Amino acid sequence: MSEHSSGLSRTVLLTELEAKWHHEASREILHTDIHRTVGPFFHRESKPSQELVFGLQIDNTWAILGTGIWLWTLSGAPDPAEVGGAVAGGSSRPKARNTADMQIDAFIHQRYYPIIEATEFSGFFSHRRTLYMTGLSAADRGGSGGGSPSQTILPTALLAFELRIKETKDLPAELRSFTDEPLLESIFGVRYSGERFFRHAQPAFNADQLWCKVDLVCPQETRYRNNRLAPYQMIQGLAEHEDPPRLVNISFWDKDIGIVRLFKQDSYIGLLCPIMTSKPSEKTVEVEYGTQTIAFISQELSSTPNTLASQMSIAYNDLGYLDYRRYAHRMYLDRCRPGMVNLSLLVRVVAVSDNIPLVEGERKTERYALRVEDERGTCDLTLWSKVGQQASRLLPGQLILLESVETHEESGDVILNGSVDIDTRVYNISAMTGILTSSTLCTYVPLSLAQHPEKANSYCRARVVAISSSGAHVRDARDSLAATSLVHSVCGKPVVCSGISSDGGKQLENPVDFYSFDCPSCDITCLEADDIESVFVVALEINDGTTSACAHSTASAASEIVGISPARFLHLPNASEQQLALASAVGQEFVLSLSSYCEPLSTETSLRIDAARLSSDIGELSA
């Protein structure tokens, strides 16, 4: 840490830990970087790693004349998010794929020959069937007509066929013309309705089969098999269509464990011809992925985040609570249940309440409520005393890291709790300027994407086009442009003047000396002079070369952009000097931490700058 510039050690440490957390989670649970192009196979300098995950579509299924050898012609599959967005926006054509017209042939493993020829799978390989593949290797099977190599994917690839369902989340409109409900009913005997699967009928296909929801992807380990140590990995799931639902354990051995990279928590996995190692009468279904097993996948279908509690294999502490102090994976809100302690959560702020003090006799305890969300659920969080005061500065849309929170039940709902007594800490990831200081710690996105609510939190390089005051606030009389506001230094919220009934936009001469101020947010009257400060309240128009956008700014980010402190701004002699100070930011390029969000009770999307650094200050961190 001594190699980093002073003042950044804590920030860099937190960001690197958070990045490591995501890296480990993605390695062990889900490889989220899906390559939707066959381009890497045509680069002569390097071969793609076998750990990469590819999303490809079948353009043609064909056999070499005079042989029984089958091949697929593959190209990059469309990204459901991109294609869906294009269609939703009113375009009649899907967004162009970055694969252009590149195609590659792939030898088909003999395990898939039965479904190519079976009548039950008639039409399955038409309609641009999508494959998720990993462990890919390619070889040159001879020159093409132009003398260039003809790369062909070898049959050793691990793959799963994507099954499409009408209610599939983000399914592109161009793919909705063909879905797989009939196949699910005839092969697996299940039907999807009301955000879950139900038993429909006995499967018509004469083979062992399994359909379940993935509950947990376990870390890779080593176990004895056939008197030798072998790589092993398990997927734990739930056959929710059974009555009653049955637990499922799917075992993967040796090179087959690579296929686990294709599956994620809450997706559905279907196996045709697995090796059944348990009896039908047993409560838990035990199967192995074998040499003839065929895998299918359906991505997460639920469109509504939930707050269901889910049991996990975590040790109980001496008081009987599930202790997550040493839990190595990322925890999500939908898995929270009462009785958990020492939780760490990466969540996004939905709303922050004012102080709701708890009064017990003559004792008054400060209490703040937050609503937070992640990719899988939403939950309420209560923060007490000093921790609550610190969190009161948070804003909707900001990404935060919670450390050492616990859960309890209230009116049937799971509630998070945090306080100094249990060493709760709240880190505002969105406002960390240390991330901006190195381009190796953040990935820039176009400003047009940063404005989408689903993008949530992002980083962007953009120039300031214009800067102006952002509303009417109680301010110091020396501010001639209404570019500042008087706020409570603890919560950062605007104060009100006790002696003025309507104080919006008021300029107050020597405010601290002649007026009394209250903080409605903290429920405090007659603030001390040291507890009141002036901060910038401005709006900006920014442009990254592709589009322009209007954004509000946090007080700290505004000071960084303007280049002077609010105190110095107020000491400027006149309005002209103050206008020049604000205008000095116009034309300068900044690296920005942006939050796209909706205010509570609103459906309109807003954009806010949470942190900013001059582009000229950005460097590279050495390894």
Side-chain angles (χ1 to χ4, degrees):
M1 299 307 298
S2 60
E3 296 180 2
H4 298 297
S5 58
S6 60
L8 292 178
S9 297
R10 179 181 174 189
T11 298
V12 172
L13 174 62
L14 284 170
T15 54
E16 289 182 347
L17 286 174
E18 197 262 340
K20 182 67 174 177
W21 180 8
H22 280 297
H23 175 68
E24 292 299 324
S26 65
R27 280 186 59 227
E28 297 183 356
I29 300 178
L30 171 67
H31 194 303
T32 57
D33 189 14
I34 299 177
H35 296 260
R36 298 180 181 274
T37 173
V38 297
F41 294 100
F42 296 94
H43 296 163
R44 299 189 65 90
E45 314 85 48
S46 61
K47 296 180 180 179
S49 168
Q50 291 202 4
E51 293 188 359
L52 295 181
V53 174
F54 288 82
L56 306 178
Q57 71 177 21
I58 300 174
D59 294 332
N60 189 23
T61 303
W62 56 283
I64 299 176
L65 289 177
T67 73
I69 300 175
W70 286 90
L71 293 92
W72 285 313
T73 299
L74 306 175
S75 62
D79 187 330
E82 293 181 358
V83 179
V87 175
S91 174
S92 60
R93 297 178 60 188
K95 183 176 179 179
R97 289 180 281 143
N98 61 359
T99 57
D101 296 320
M102 297 181 70
Q103 293 180 320
I104 192 170
D105 291 335
F107 287 112
I108 302 176
H109 193 284
Q110 289 186 348
R111 76 170 75 193
Y112 304 111
Y113 284 16
I115 63 174
I116 292 176
E117 301 162 350
T119 56
E120 291 88 347
F121 284 85
S122 177
F124 182 75
F125 295 107
S126 59
H127 304 282
R128 292 174 288 188
R129 173 66 56 189
T130 296
L131 303 174
Y132 289 100
M133 309 179 74
T134 188
L136 274 66
S137 296
D140 180 6
R141 77 169 193 269
S144 64
S148 59
S150 178
Q151 294 291 322
T152 305
I153 295 174
L154 300 178
T156 54
L158 300 166
L159 63 90
F161 299 98
E162 183 180 41
L163 296 182
R164 306 163 187 150
I165 300 173
K166 290 178 181 177
E167 298 182 60
T168 299
K169 187 179 181 181
D170 297 329
L171 182 68
E174 66 167 349
L175 301 182
R176 290 185 183 274
S177 58
F178 181 82
T179 56
D180 292 310
E181 282 89 346
L183 182 72
L184 281 165
E185 294 173 5
S186 63
I187 305 302
F188 296 103
V190 297
R191 172 179 288 179
Y192 186 74
S193 177
E195 300 189 355
R196 61 161 293 183
F197 281 93
F198 294 88
R199 170 65 69 187
H200 173 66
Q202 282 299 113
F205 197 72
N206 186 23
D208 288 330
Q209 49 76 30
L210 171 75
W211 183 262
C212 71
K213 185 175 185 178
V214 177
D215 186 53
L216 181 65
V217 179
C218 302
Q220 182 180 332
E221 56 183 289
T222 303
R223 291 188 180 184
Y224 274 99
R225 189 188 195 199
N226 298 330
N227 298 318
R228 69 176 181 89
L229 282 173
Y232 173 81
Q233 197 163 6
M234 177 187 287
I235 289 180
Q236 296 178 352
L238 181 69
E240 62 184 9
H241 59 279
E242 299 283 0
D243 187 18
R246 299 176 68 189
L247 299 176
V248 176
N249 292 331
I250 308 173
S251 296
F252 301 84
W253 293 92
D254 295 308
K255 293 182 179 180
D256 288 336
I257 64 176
I259 199 173
V260 176
R261 289 191 288 270
L262 306 181
F263 302 103
K264 67 176 182 177
Q265 203 169 43
D266 292 331
S267 62
Y268 287 87
I269 178 173
L271 297 180
L272 196 59
C273 302
I275 300 173
M276 309 297 294
T277 58
S278 62
K279 297 179 180 179
S281 58
E282 295 180 6
K283 293 183 178 179
T284 300
V285 181
E286 302 276 356
V287 304
E288 287 185 10
Y289 183 89
T291 57
Q292 299 302 313
T293 305
I294 301 172
F296 301 84
I297 183 173
S298 186
Q299 303 296 342
E300 182 180 356
L301 303 175
S302 175
S303 59
T304 306
N306 60 71
T307 54
L308 291 178
S310 179
Q311 175 67 51
M312 300 186 68
S313 300
I314 305 297
Y316 287 87
N317 63 13
D318 294 339
L319 298 177
Y321 295 105
L322 286 167
D323 193 339
Y324 280 73
R325 187 186 308 275
R326 294 177 177 84
Y327 187 59
H329 308 287
R330 182 177 173 186
M331 182 67 176
Y332 290 91
L333 291 175
D334 69 336
R335 305 191 67 83
C336 291
R337 70 176 185 86
M340 294 178 172
V341 297
N342 292 315
L343 283 172
S344 292
L345 296 164
L346 187 67
V347 294
R348 195 164 181 253
V349 178
V350 177
V352 183
S353 78
D354 293 336
N355 182 23
I356 313 170
L358 178 65
V359 180
E360 296 176 315
E362 297 183 357
R363 183 182 177 184
K364 183 178 179 181
T365 306
E366 294 178 326
R367 175 178 56 177
Y368 294 82
L370 279 72
R371 177 155 292 179
V372 295
E373 66 179 6
D374 61 17
E375 298 91 325
R376 300 181 185 176
T378 302
C379 193
D380 291 334
L381 165 68
T382 303
L383 295 174
W384 301 85
S385 303
K386 186 177 179 180
V387 177
Q389 284 185 344
Q390 295 170 347
S392 65
R393 301 182 71 93
L394 297 173
L395 299 170
Q398 290 181 331
L399 188 69
I400 62 173
L401 175 63
L402 299 171
E403 284 187 351
S404 191
V405 295
E406 59 186 28
T407 63
H408 75 275
E409 185 175 3
E410 184 175 300
S411 301
D413 294 325
V414 177
I415 304 294
L416 300 172
N417 263 288
S419 67
V420 174
D421 294 338
I422 60 174
D423 199 28
T424 300
R425 298 169 187 263
V426 182
Y427 300 101
N428 190 341
I429 304 296
S430 295
M432 287 183 174
T433 56
I435 300 177
L436 307 180
T437 306
S438 172
S439 57
T440 61
L441 293 178
C442 57
T443 301
Y444 306 137
V445 302
L447 187 56
S448 57
L449 290 181
Q451 299 179 74
H452 294 169
E454 60 269 18
K455 194 64 184 176
N457 309 94
S458 55
Y459 301 98
C460 178
R461 297 177 79 111
R463 294 187 181 278
V464 176
V465 177
I467 183 170
S468 60
S469 170
S470 178
H473 308 275
V474 176
R475 66 185 191 275
D476 192 293
R478 294 169 292 176
D479 178 6
S480 303
L481 305 180
T484 64
S485 172
L486 290 171
V487 301
H488 185 196
S489 59
V490 174
C491 66
K493 302 294 194 303
V495 297
V496 297
C497 182
S498 305
I500 300 178
S501 57
S502 178
D503 47 16
K506 292 288 184 178
Q507 288 180 269
L508 303 178
E509 190 71 34
N510 298 322
V512 176
D513 295 335
F514 292 97
Y515 296 94
S516 173
F517 293 94
D518 305 332
C519 178
S521 177
C522 295
D523 193 29
I524 299 176
T525 59
C526 299
L527 293 168
E528 298 289 336
D530 292 340
D531 292 333
I532 302 171
E533 61 181 355
S534 289
V535 299
F536 283 117
V537 185
V538 295
L540 299 98
E541 181 182 353
I542 54 179
N543 187 300
D544 70 341
T546 63
T547 189
S548 294
C550 293
H552 296 284
S553 176
T554 61
S556 58
S559 295
E560 182 71 27
I561 292 171
V562 175
I564 62 174
S565 67
R568 286 185 58 193
F569 176 83
L570 293 174
H571 277 92
L572 295 175
N574 52 54
S576 297
E577 292 289 331
Q578 292 178 352
Q579 186 63 56
L580 286 174
L582 290 182
S584 65
V586 175
Q588 295 196 72
E589 185 183 62
F590 292 85
V591 174
L592 307 171
S593 172
L594 300 173
S595 290
S596 177
Y597 65 99
C598 293
E599 292 282 2
L601 305 180
S602 173
T603 57
E604 294 186 4
T605 303
S606 299
L607 191 66
R608 184 182 57 249
I609 301 171
D610 289 311
R613 276 294 175 93
L614 277 169
S615 294
S616 57
D617 293 341
I618 305 305
E620 298 283 345
L621 285 181
S622 59

